[in-house]
Amino acid sequence: MHLLLIIGVALAICVVGFALQNNVPVTVTLAMWNFEGSLALVLLLALGLGVLIAGLMSSPSMIKSRWTRSRLRQKVARLEQDKIGLERRIVELEAELASLTPEIIPEEEPQRYLGFKSLFLGEPGKPKE
C-alpha cells in the first residue's frame, strides 16, 4: 500500500515536471474540429485516450478469462466434494467387506482311512494296526 502511494507521488511529480517544461501552445485539428492547448495537455490527453482504447480492446478477453476461471473453480469445488463423498464410500465399503469376510474355521484332524480289512472284521471305528 505504501509502495503504491510512493509510486503515485513520483508519477505525479514527473507529470508536473513534464507539463512545466512543455507549456508551448499547440493547435490540434481533426476534420472540422480545432483544439488549442499546451503541448503537455495534448500529449497527456493522447496518452489517456490510448490507455482507454487499449483497456476497451482488452476487456473482452479479461471478461472471458474471469468467466473461465470462475467456471473452473466451481468445477474444482464440485470435484473435491465428489472426492470426499467417494472417500467416505470407500471407508463404508471396507467396513462392510470386513464384516462379510468369512472367519477361518480351524480344521479338525481328518479321519483315517479304515481299510477293507477293518471294515470286514468288525471294528469300523478303529483300524487294526
Side-chain angles (χ1 to χ4, degrees), residues 14-36:
C14 290
V15 169
V16 168
F18 176 77
L20 289 175
Q21 291 177 2
N22 296 297
N23 59 1
V24 178
V26 293
T27 302
V28 177
T29 305
L30 180 66
M32 295 191 302
W33 179 70
N34 287 329
F35 173 72
E36 282 194 33

Side-chain angles (χ1 to χ4, degrees), residues 2-75:
H2 296 297
L3 179 65
L4 193 59
L5 182 64
I6 292 170
I7 291 173
V9 168
L11 185 64
I13 291 171
C14 290
V15 169
V16 168
F18 176 77
L20 289 175
Q21 291 177 2
N22 296 297
N23 59 1
V24 178
V26 293
T27 302
V28 177
T29 305
L30 180 66
M32 295 191 302
W33 179 70
N34 287 329
F35 173 72
E36 282 194 33
S38 70
L39 179 61
L41 180 64
V42 171
L43 290 176
L44 290 176
L45 284 175
L47 178 69
L49 187 61
V51 168
L52 180 67
I53 290 172
L56 290 175
M57 294 299 287
S58 67
S59 64
S61 64
M62 289 178 14
I63 291 171
K64 182 180 178 184
S65 66
R66 282 185 183 176
W67 180 76
T68 303
R69 192 175 359 174
S70 171
R71 189 171 40 92
L72 290 175
R73 281 185 183 150
Q74 290 174 356
K75 189 173 184 179

